[in-house]
Amino acid sequence: MNKLEIKQLKALAHKLKPIVTVGQHGMKDSIGEELDSALEFHQLVKLKVNLGDRGSRDALIEELGKKYKAELLQRIGNIAVYYRRNFDKENLLKKP
């Protein structure tokens, strides 16, 4: 992805509310399934991670992106924005 595409997706993500939340007890299988289905349906997803330790929060955010083949577009505090293109749906990116 180039910088213009990332900028477009961040602008779209700005108005989104977190769809998936990881609580203080950490990651559960059901949360992963919810994230996967949200990425499949919406393509652009905000995730909230409520872990107290900054290091474990950052590691979990990176791990989730790799595990679910989603690109981490932005991370601010405990909110992460992921994008995974679904070729069966309309592309979110506008062509110049």
Side-chain angles (χ1 to χ4, degrees):
M1 270 196 189
N2 62 40
K3 289 183 179 185
L4 180 62
E5 292 171 334
I6 291 172
K7 187 176 179 179
Q8 285 179 8
L9 290 171
K10 283 181 180 181
L12 290 172
H14 182 73
K15 65 182 178 191
L16 297 177
K17 301 280 186 210
I19 292 178
V20 181
T21 301
V22 178
Q24 64 186 6
H25 300 294
M27 192 65 189
K28 304 220 184 300
D29 290 338
S30 61
I31 296 171
E33 292 168 8
E34 182 67 27
L35 176 60
D36 192 40
S37 65
L39 283 165
E40 187 71 26
F41 186 77
H42 298 287
Q43 301 180 71
L44 187 64
V45 174
K46 262 189 187 177
L47 172 80
K48 186 173 186 177
V49 181
N50 288 332
L51 293 177
D53 180 31
R54 180 180 289 180
S56 60
R57 180 180 63 213
D58 293 347
L60 179 62
I61 288 171
E62 289 292 327
E63 177 187 329
L64 290 174
K66 291 175 185 171
K67 183 174 182 179
Y68 295 103
K69 297 175 180 68
E71 184 161 348
L72 178 63
L73 297 177
Q74 186 175 32
R75 183 186 101 34
I76 299 175
N78 62 347
I79 303 290
V81 178
Y82 294 104
Y83 173 72
R84 183 173 73 192
R85 174 78 170 100
N86 182 347
F87 291 98
D88 295 334
K89 296 200 172 251
E90 184 179 340
N91 193 354
L92 295 176
L93 295 169
K94 303 210 179 354
K95 298 293 178 190

